[in-house]
Amino acid sequence: MSEINSRKDDHVDLAIASQHSLRDERFEYEPMYGVHPDFKPEPFIFLGKKMNYPFWISSMTGGGSDSKKYNEIFASVCGDLGLGMGLGSCRALLEDPSLIGDFDLRDLLGPHAPFFMNLGIAQVAEHIKNGELHKINDTLGALRSDGLIVHVNPLQEFFQPEGDVILDRPIDIIEKLKNTFLGTIVVKEIGQGMGQKSLKALNDLGIDGLELAGFGGTNFTKLEQIRSKTKGGEFISVGEPAVEMIKCLNEMKSSMDIIISGGMNDPLEAYYHQELCHNNSVIGQAQKVLEMGQLGKENLKAYITSFILKTRLAKNYLTIKH
Ligand SMILES: Cc1cc2nc3c(=O)[nH]c(=O)nc-3n(C[C@H](O)[C@H](O)[C@H](O)COP(=O)(O)O)c2cc1C
C-alpha cells in the first residue's frame, strides 16, 4: 500500500477519536500570512551577553551526587545552541572551593553565553554579616560567570526541615549586595513568584534581571512537605503566576531583563507569556529540562530544538488577544 493510501486509511479510522471542541481563547489563528517555522538563530543581547534563541536553562543542581554530569549536559546544550544558563545553588562551592569541577562550565558554554552563579538570600545575608562578600566576587571570577542569581525562598526554607532562617529583609540584603557585587544581579523566587510590592521594590533598586519562577510549575513548598512526609499541604496554593507578574511589570514600565519561568513547559504557554511581556525576555525551564537531560545530551537538545520550533510555529500563525 502506498504511503498516501495508508495515511488516508488512518484518517478514516481516527476521525471519531479526533473530535475536539475545547478552544484556547487566548489566540486568534491566522493561517493566511505565516510560513513554516525555521530554526535559524536570531541573536540578541540578554543580561549583557549574546543568545541565539530565547530559552534559558533555569538553576538546578549543585553539590549533589549527579550535579557534575547534569551541569555538563545542560552547559554543552547551551553552548551548541547559544542559550543561557543559571547554575543551581553554589553554596556548597563557597563552603568548599575544591568542588569547582561541578560548576566550572564556561568552556562548554563558550565565552558569549550568559552564565550565572546562584545563591540563596540567607547565604548572601550570612556573607554580608561575616564581612565576606569578597568571597562571592572571588567565586564569580573563578567560574568566569557573568553574575549572580539570588533566590528568595522563605516558604521553602520554613518547610524544609534543615532550612535557613531568614532574619533580615531580603530587599535590604539585595541593596547591600548591589553596592559591592562586581557582576550582574538577577533575583528570583523558586516557584511561587512574587507580588506587586516586591516586584516594584526590585525594579526601584535597579536590579538587572528577574527570573519570575511563578506559581504553576515546580512547587518547593509542596516538595519539602512531601520530602519531610508532612501531611496537609499547607501554603502550597499561594503564590503569583507568571502572567500576573508580567502584567505588573508592564504597568511599571520596568526595563529589567526577564526570565519567564514557572511551569512554562507548553510552547503555546511560553509564546503567550513572551508576547504579553514588554521587557526583553526569555523562557526558562527547570523540571522539564532535568527530565529530558536525564536521558542524555542529544535528548535534551532535541527537546529544546522542538520546543523552540513550536514557539516559532505559534509566532507565525497566532496573534494574542490583549
Ligand atoms: C531539581 C530542581 C532544583 C532546583 N534548584 C534550584 C536552586 O538551587 N536555586 C534556584 O534558584 N532555583 C532552583 N530551582 C528552581 C528553578 O530554577 C525554577 O525557578 C523553578 O523550578 C520553576 O521552573 P519549572 O516550573 O520549569 O521547574 C530548582 C528546580 C528544580 C526542578
Side-chain angles (χ1 to χ4, degrees):
M1 197 189 298
S2 77
E3 193 195 306
I4 294 179
N5 285 347
S6 131
R7 189 164 63 234
K8 288 293 170 200
D9 285 351
D10 285 349
H11 291 175
V12 170
D13 293 345
L14 297 174
I16 292 177
S18 76
Q19 299 305 300
H20 181 82
S21 58
L22 193 65
R23 175 168 175 261
D24 193 329
E25 304 279 349
R26 294 173 298 181
F27 305 105
E28 242 157 343
Y29 171 50
E30 302 292 359
M32 300 309 289
Y33 298 98
V35 292
H36 191 85
D38 63 40
F39 195 65
K40 278 193 208 110
E42 289 176 4
F44 63 102
I45 301 297
F46 190 74
L47 292 168
K49 299 296 291 274
K50 191 181 138 217
M51 291 175 67
N52 284 340
Y53 304 94
F55 192 99
W56 183 273
I57 296 194
S58 289
S59 300
M60 277 179 281
T61 59
S65 45
D66 283 327
S67 297
K68 184 175 163 63
K69 183 171 102 188
Y70 293 133
N71 275 340
E72 287 181 354
I73 289 174
F74 300 158
S76 77
V77 170
C78 286
D80 286 1
L81 296 179
L83 314 176
M85 168 176 174
L87 283 165
S89 174
C90 301
R91 180 183 190 170
L93 176 62
L94 261 82
E95 285 168 11
D96 178 2
S98 74
L99 290 176
I100 187 131
D102 285 10
F103 301 85
D104 189 15
L105 306 168
R106 174 54 87 191
D107 291 336
L108 288 171
L109 279 145
H112 305 297
F115 173 45
F116 277 69
M117 54 190 280
N118 181 294
L119 279 176
I121 192 74
Q123 280 77 59
V124 177
E126 197 180 298
H127 279 78
I128 290 176
K129 198 166 125 211
N130 299 337
E132 292 182 339
L133 261 181
H134 62 277
K135 284 193 180 172
I136 301 182
N137 280 324
D138 292 347
T139 310
L140 176 87
L143 290 172
R144 293 170 286 158
S145 64
D146 300 302
L148 173 66
I149 299 180
V150 183
H151 62 265
V152 181
N153 57 336
L155 292 180
Q156 182 197 13
E157 299 291 10
F158 186 91
F159 286 101
Q160 187 179 78
E162 61 281 59
D164 289 310
V165 177
I166 296 177
L167 294 171
D168 306 285
R169 296 188 335 160
I171 195 69
D172 299 330
I173 297 300
I174 288 164
E175 186 168 16
K176 287 185 186 147
L177 176 72
K178 194 169 178 287
N179 295 333
T180 36
F181 184 61
L182 299 174
T184 304
I185 298 179
V186 174
V187 178
K188 68 184 289 243
E189 225 283 332
I190 56 166
Q192 276 166 314
M194 53 182 87
Q196 295 183 33
K197 219 166 131 184
S198 299
L199 289 176
K200 184 161 184 336
L202 291 170
N203 190 51
D204 291 350
L205 261 191
I207 293 304
D208 305 289
L210 192 73
E211 178 171 345
L212 303 187
F215 180 87
T218 305
N219 183 321
F220 273 88
T221 309
K222 182 169 177 179
L223 188 151
E224 291 299 349
Q225 292 179 49
I226 297 169
R227 215 181 129 227
S228 62
K229 302 187 173 47
T230 313
K231 292 209 175 76
E234 294 170 313
F235 288 75
I236 63 172
S237 303
V238 295
E240 309 298 325
V243 68
E244 295 303 327
M245 296 170 77
I246 289 170
K247 284 178 189 163
C248 180
L249 291 165
N250 286 350
E251 255 174 50
M252 275 191 276
K253 300 195 183 344
S254 153
S255 61
M256 292 184 279
D257 280 359
I258 306 293
I259 302 164
I260 303 171
S261 64
M264 291 296 133
N265 300 342
D266 175 336
L268 272 187
E269 197 73 8
Y271 169 65
Y272 176 74
H273 282 78
Q274 256 207 304
E275 283 291 291
L276 203 65
C277 185
H278 297 168
N279 299 50
N280 191 27
S281 72
V282 297
I283 293 297
Q285 287 183 18
Q287 177 274 325
K288 198 72 187 172
V289 161
L290 181 62
E291 186 187 326
M292 295 296 149
Q294 279 170 330
L295 299 174
K297 177 185 165 182
E298 289 313 317
N299 193 64
L300 178 60
K301 201 167 155 183
Y303 164 71
I304 295 176
T305 303
S306 157
F307 188 92
I308 292 167
L309 262 180
K310 287 175 194 159
T311 57
R312 288 188 174 185
L313 177 71
K315 192 172 186 172
N316 289 1
Y317 293 106
L318 302 175
T319 52
I320 69 162
K321 298 179 200 164
H322 286 277

